[in-house]
Amino acid sequence: MQENNEYVRERFGEYYRDNAEKVKPPPEMEKREYGFLLFEAGVMVRHKAFKTANDLHAFIRTTVPAHAYSSTAYYLEPEEEMDRKGWQGADLTFDVDADHIVTPCKYVHDLWTCKNCNTQGKGPVPAKCPKCQGERIDEEAWLCEICLERAKEEVIKLLDFLAKDFGFLRRDMTVCFSGHRGYHVHLRADEAKNLDSDERKEIVDYVLGLGFDTDLHLDLLDRRAAPDAKVGASGWPGRVARGIYEILTETSEDELASWDINRRTAKTIAGSREEFASMWIGEKATKFPEGVGPATLRVLIRKAVERESAKVDTVVTTDIHRLIRIPETLNGRTGFRAAEASNIESFDPFIDAIAFKGEETVHVKEAPQFRIGNQTFGPYVDKVVTLPSAAAVLLVSKGKASFNGE
């Protein structure tokens, strides 16, 4: 394990010697706190401050951290202890992570192990071990294209919320890949800088659709009121209408029935798909299909909210002292760059976040199929292979391979 750790640190050191100047400190960098998780026994160095980008770059070259962070907050004295820093505001920051998104592929590539009884399972980590009820559980989470594509979809929804529902300007938003399983969205606008934790939670609750009252939207059953909630409407009324329209045009009878919609009603909806869907885009339909009433509409509204909401981590946004990864630094869990995604729609982390060139020979204990660049590798089980350096560092960093064949 120690030799693998040293191998990754050496690769990071080589990278930073040539590329540290690409690391992008946040605006007003002299007012930020910086923290670094080192390779040496997981030591965390905090309460650092830098006046210039060159100072930060020199520190990273010398220290070679596994992870590098800066505060979302602005401080008068960033090097002091927390109660003496003098908080001056904070960026509005969001974390969109595949850990918070349900994807079926997790049951293929994610593994958890109970530290009490060694029981193992695939998929999301349970709150308690199903065998011994222990709560000390280790997780081996993989990053795959499906997970990261879903995370990207949530980012796109979040940006839409911030621009259309809150009126923030897109130029004030920066999106960065985390280097692992998700993305960070940094909103730097004067209107948001001095929001307290409760006010930030209100924003998070809104984009998550928490506390959404379906009864307030049951007037969709009244054709006289429906024009106010067409797919082009602003805010959640329009989002619900768009969500229901998409559900009606894409969802099968079996899936509708799995949502506790009566099978006969599900069949009616599927059979009247075009007519029913047209009610949300202002066409000629004048009534709902027979059997579709308030109970069914509540289900459709609830599913529309789930579909249209943006899955973000509440804790990250509400923490006004948060440390978050510095853009263009390396992630010690993967060796990928925390690359800025200036065009999130076309961003491909398996191409755009690659840091290392060349090839390495490693012994892979076990790894699922994965892609680096335009090449696909694996799956591997107990195999010595020569891989692109980016792939080798990824596997060693994730504990799935060793560089010396051990």
Side-chain angles (χ1 to χ4, degrees):
M1 177 64 73
Q2 182 61 31
E3 291 174 330
N4 288 337
N5 210 35
E6 291 174 358
Y7 161 81
V8 176
R9 187 184 187 281
E10 185 178 336
R11 298 288 85 76
F12 275 41
E14 293 170 356
Y15 175 83
Y16 281 132
R17 277 196 294 274
D18 297 331
N19 299 282
E21 71 280 355
K22 296 179 181 178
V23 172
K24 299 182 69 172
E28 298 184 70
M29 65 170 295
E30 72 282 358
K31 297 180 180 180
R32 311 283 188 157
E33 176 196 354
Y34 296 81
F36 304 89
L37 186 62
L38 307 184
F39 282 97
E40 293 81 2
V43 174
M44 183 72 178
V45 177
R46 285 199 61 172
H47 309 298
K48 299 289 294 181
F50 302 96
K51 295 191 178 299
T52 69
N54 286 339
D55 292 340
L56 172 63
H57 298 159
F59 182 89
I60 289 175
R61 281 195 191 95
T62 302
T63 309
V64 189
H67 305 274
Y69 308 97
S70 65
S71 66
T72 61
Y74 305 82
Y75 298 111
L76 284 175
E77 302 291 342
E79 290 185 288
E80 294 291 336
E81 294 298 320
M82 195 60 67
D83 59 349
R84 297 196 297 271
K85 287 183 183 296
W87 189 84
Q88 299 292 296
D91 301 330
L92 185 61
T93 304
F94 300 86
D95 178 32
V96 178
D97 198 297
D99 290 345
H100 307 126
I101 304 169
V102 177
T103 53
C105 54
K106 289 180 180 177
Y107 291 94
V108 176
H109 57 61
D110 284 3
L111 175 70
W112 57 264
T113 304
C114 175
K115 297 177 72 172
N116 291 335
C117 68
N118 291 321
T119 296
Q120 292 187 327
K122 289 288 187 74
V125 179
K128 294 182 178 181
C129 172
K131 183 176 181 180
C132 73
Q133 300 302 302
E135 298 181 4
R136 298 171 62 246
I137 300 176
D138 281 340
E139 178 185 18
E140 292 182 26
W142 188 249
L143 66 166
C144 79
E145 295 188 62
I146 295 173
C147 289
L148 285 173
E149 188 62 30
R150 283 287 292 110
K152 182 193 291 190
E153 292 170 4
E154 299 304 318
V155 171
I156 293 170
K157 287 191 286 184
L158 172 62
L159 296 176
D160 190 68
F161 270 111
L162 294 174
K164 293 182 180 177
D165 293 43
F166 291 96
F168 292 115
L169 300 177
R170 183 64 179 86
R171 67 167 182 256
D172 292 330
M173 307 174 207
T174 302
V175 181
C176 293
F177 177 49
S178 72
H180 191 214
R181 301 230 299 178
Y183 294 87
H184 299 147
V185 176
H186 305 268
L187 173 62
R188 299 181 176 110
D190 290 340
E191 300 89 340
K193 184 176 181 179
N194 292 309
L195 296 175
D196 63 24
S197 293
D198 290 338
E199 291 166 330
R200 292 165 194 256
K201 188 175 187 303
E202 289 292 327
I203 293 175
V204 171
D205 288 351
Y206 183 87
V207 302
L208 287 171
L210 291 182
F212 190 91
D213 189 347
T214 58
D215 288 343
L216 293 178
H217 293 267
L218 288 179
D219 60 1
L220 287 170
L221 285 169
D222 182 351
R223 291 303 295 143
R224 294 169 298 179
D228 293 331
K230 291 294 192 293
V231 294
S234 62
W236 268 110
R239 294 183 186 278
V240 168
R242 290 190 290 275
I244 291 178
Y245 177 80
E246 290 172 2
I247 287 170
L248 293 172
T249 55
E250 298 173 7
T251 310
S252 68
E253 175 187 329
D254 288 342
E255 187 172 1
L256 289 167
S258 73
W259 297 346
D260 293 328
I261 292 176
N262 178 278
R263 171 63 72 169
R264 179 180 295 180
T265 303
K267 185 174 183 178
T268 298
I269 292 173
S272 308
R273 188 180 303 281
E274 292 185 9
E275 178 185 3
F276 196 12
S278 71
M279 300 184 75
W280 274 267
I281 55 176
E283 294 186 357
K284 297 180 180 180
T286 58
K287 64 179 181 178
F288 288 94
E290 183 178 353
V292 177
T296 300
L297 190 58
R298 283 190 179 92
V299 174
L300 295 176
I301 291 173
R302 187 175 69 251
K303 290 295 181 179
V305 171
E306 291 176 9
R307 184 187 186 104
E308 296 298 308
S309 63
K311 314 302 184 291
V312 300
D313 185 331
T314 300
V315 174
V316 171
T317 303
T318 57
D319 183 355
I320 59 174
H321 301 285
R322 192 78 180 184
L323 291 181
I324 200 149
R325 195 172 303 278
I326 301 173
E328 300 301 333
T329 58
L330 300 181
N331 189 310
R333 288 178 289 182
T334 62
F336 285 3
R337 292 167 34 244
E340 185 172 329
S342 56
N343 185 342
I344 184 62
E345 288 83 1
S346 63
F347 182 80
D348 183 346
F350 296 97
I351 293 176
D352 299 323
I354 296 304
F356 301 101
K357 299 178 181 179
E359 291 186 337
E360 302 277 355
T361 299
V362 293
H363 172 234
V364 185
K365 293 175 285 187
E366 180 276 330
Q369 187 177 79
F370 64 99
R371 176 171 64 88
I372 293 291
N374 294 315
Q375 293 181 275
T376 300
F377 305 93
Y380 299 119
V381 176
D382 190 23
K383 189 172 183 179
V384 175
V385 290
T386 298
L387 299 170
S389 293
V393 173
L394 168 64
L395 294 179
V396 175
S397 298
K398 298 294 286 181
K400 295 185 175 296
S402 53
F403 80 98
N404 61 353
E406 67 180 17

